[in-house]
Amino acid sequence: RALSSSTAQEPARYVQGVSADDLETDPNIASFFAANFSDQKDEEHTSNDGDDALLNPIGDEQEAEDTATPERATAAIDDALLARNIRPLSCFLRPRDTEEGTRACENLREVHKQIPGILYGSDPTKSVVSKHADSKATVKTPWNQIQRELDRYHHAFESRVYELTVYESEEAAEADGGEGLYKQLVIPANMQRHPIQNKIYCVNYLRYHPGRPIKIPIRYINEEESPALKRGGFIVPISRTIECFVEDGAVIPESIDLECTGIQMKQVLRTERLIWPDGVRPSHRVKPDYLVGLIYGKRAGEEEEEEGESAEVAEEAS
């Protein structure tokens, strides 16, 4: 039985310490390799072919399933809304007879990865009045969509406007191709979490229209230009958000900037330091003396006095 070329060139792969010269010079070693390793290469190919035969049907079936399973429709959004900083979300209607109550909602969260909630509120642009019973709709939102927005915006999630596409069911969402029953501008509201596990338990949606106030976070800018903040002072935020109106067609800002240039120690921050973007104005509930924050810290003289007092105490103790 003839040796394969790979066995003859690299006999040490099969028997440690044996070289190609040993195979040529020693007939006993050559006969041993011919009896035991002549078909090694063929067996390797046969084994690989067998593995491929086992794996290929699985891969083919999986590929066929992926091709046969339609992708879940994603809600499309108008470019004009994207320009106004409005992102898309989608949800499904919850049947009141089968998906309401504590046990049903727990099953939605744990098994189906859907977060229950309610769509409520008035919208004059669509003749929806909150007093009417049919203005409230029980919905469920895919968990991954809510978590995606929370990962991106964190605490500002409930200060944003979304275009919510409402589908009748998951099957209808795949069949409609992203159209849905209707679309509604909303603000996420009343998001609840588990007190220990921190899981999302509920997310409601409040209908939004240009006449509805929205609470937007306050962001501090140019802190390095403040003498107080450069010397160890800090801002104690009294109000982290401010309620304001956004005109129709204007960009909804992610935050309202507060100018920190020239802030001194123990100064009170009010609305005159806020920078309002175009089309954004404060709500009528925001008074001129609206308190935003306070500057706390110690002046340089106070720090020197405290250091002197602590040195005197140390000397007396010694």
Side-chain angles (χ1 to χ4, degrees):
R1 299 171 65 183
L3 291 176
S4 63
S5 59
S6 62
T7 305
Q9 293 175 2
E10 300 179 5
R13 291 177 55 188
Y14 307 101
V15 178
Q16 187 175 3
V18 178
S19 64
D21 295 336
D22 294 335
L23 287 178
E24 295 178 358
T25 58
D26 194 331
N28 295 327
I29 296 178
S31 61
F32 174 80
F33 269 76
N36 293 278
F37 305 116
S38 60
D39 298 332
Q40 187 69 24
K41 186 174 180 180
D42 298 334
E43 291 176 2
E44 289 179 357
H45 283 290
T46 305
S47 176
N48 292 335
D49 293 341
D51 293 341
D52 294 339
L54 291 174
L55 293 175
N56 282 338
I58 298 176
D60 295 341
E61 290 177 4
Q62 185 66 36
E63 185 177 356
E65 290 179 2
D66 295 341
T67 306
T69 304
E71 295 183 359
R72 177 172 293 180
T74 55
I77 189 168
D78 189 9
D79 292 338
L81 294 178
L82 285 175
R84 294 176 56 196
N85 197 22
I86 298 177
R87 290 172 54 82
L89 275 179
S90 60
C91 67
F92 311 101
L93 293 178
R94 276 192 297 139
R96 294 181 179 270
D97 53 345
T98 59
E99 294 185 353
E100 277 204 10
T102 303
R103 292 181 180 272
C105 290
E106 184 69 21
N107 184 64
L108 281 176
R109 286 187 290 263
E110 298 297 331
V111 179
H112 301 285
K113 303 301 180 183
Q114 305 275 353
I115 306 301
I118 297 176
L119 175 62
Y120 69 101
S122 301
D123 187 359
T125 62
K126 296 187 176 182
S127 302
V128 178
V129 181
S130 60
K131 294 182 179 180
H132 297 167
D134 57 355
S135 65
K136 291 184 178 181
T138 54
V139 297
K140 54 184 178 181
T141 310
W143 170 85
N144 59 349
Q145 293 194 31
I146 298 176
Q147 191 62 49
R148 177 196 66 199
E149 300 302 317
L150 286 173
D151 291 341
R152 183 164 184 167
Y153 299 108
H154 305 286
H155 296 291
F157 172 60
E158 296 186 65
S159 298
R160 297 188 55 83
V161 176
Y162 291 90
E163 185 185 52
L164 184 69
T165 304
V166 181
Y167 297 98
E168 185 175 1
S169 63
E170 298 183 40
E171 293 76 13
E174 297 174 355
D176 292 345
E179 293 298 327
L181 294 176
Y182 58 89
K183 297 184 179 182
Q184 175 71 55
L185 294 182
V186 299
I187 304 174
N190 310 119
M191 187 181 69
Q192 300 178 11
R193 291 180 178 269
H194 190 278
I196 298 176
Q197 300 176 355
N198 204 32
K199 294 180 179 179
I200 305 171
Y201 256 38
C202 173
V203 175
N204 297 333
Y205 299 103
L206 174 64
R207 291 185 177 92
Y208 173 80
H209 54 87
R212 184 180 297 281
I214 178 175
K215 292 184 177 181
I216 299 180
I218 297 174
R219 183 181 64 172
Y220 307 113
I221 61 173
N222 297 329
E223 297 180 67
E224 67 278 1
E225 301 297 330
S226 167
L229 299 180
K230 287 195 297 184
R231 294 173 183 172
F234 54 91
I235 300 175
V236 178
I238 305 300
S239 302
R240 298 183 182 272
T241 61
I242 186 164
E243 190 176 76
C244 54
F245 291 110
V246 181
E247 296 178 1
D248 190 12
V251 178
I252 301 174
E254 294 187 5
S255 61
I256 302 296
D257 294 337
L258 185 143
E259 180 61 65
C260 296
T261 302
I263 289 179
Q264 300 295 333
M265 202 69 71
K266 297 185 179 180
Q267 187 173 342
V268 178
L269 305 180
R270 300 191 185 275
T271 55
E272 66 271 5
R273 284 190 168 270
L274 296 177
I275 302 174
W276 297 99
D278 295 337
V280 182
R281 56 185 174 86
S283 168
H284 61 275
R285 299 176 185 174
V286 179
K287 305 301 179 183
D289 59 347
Y290 184 80
L291 186 59
V292 177
L294 303 172
I295 306 299
Y296 273 85
K298 296 177 181 179
R299 293 187 175 89
E302 295 178 356
E303 292 179 356
E304 292 176 359
E305 291 178 2
E306 289 190 359
E307 290 178 0
E309 291 177 359
S310 60
E312 291 177 1
V313 172
E315 290 178 0
E316 293 177 358
S318 61

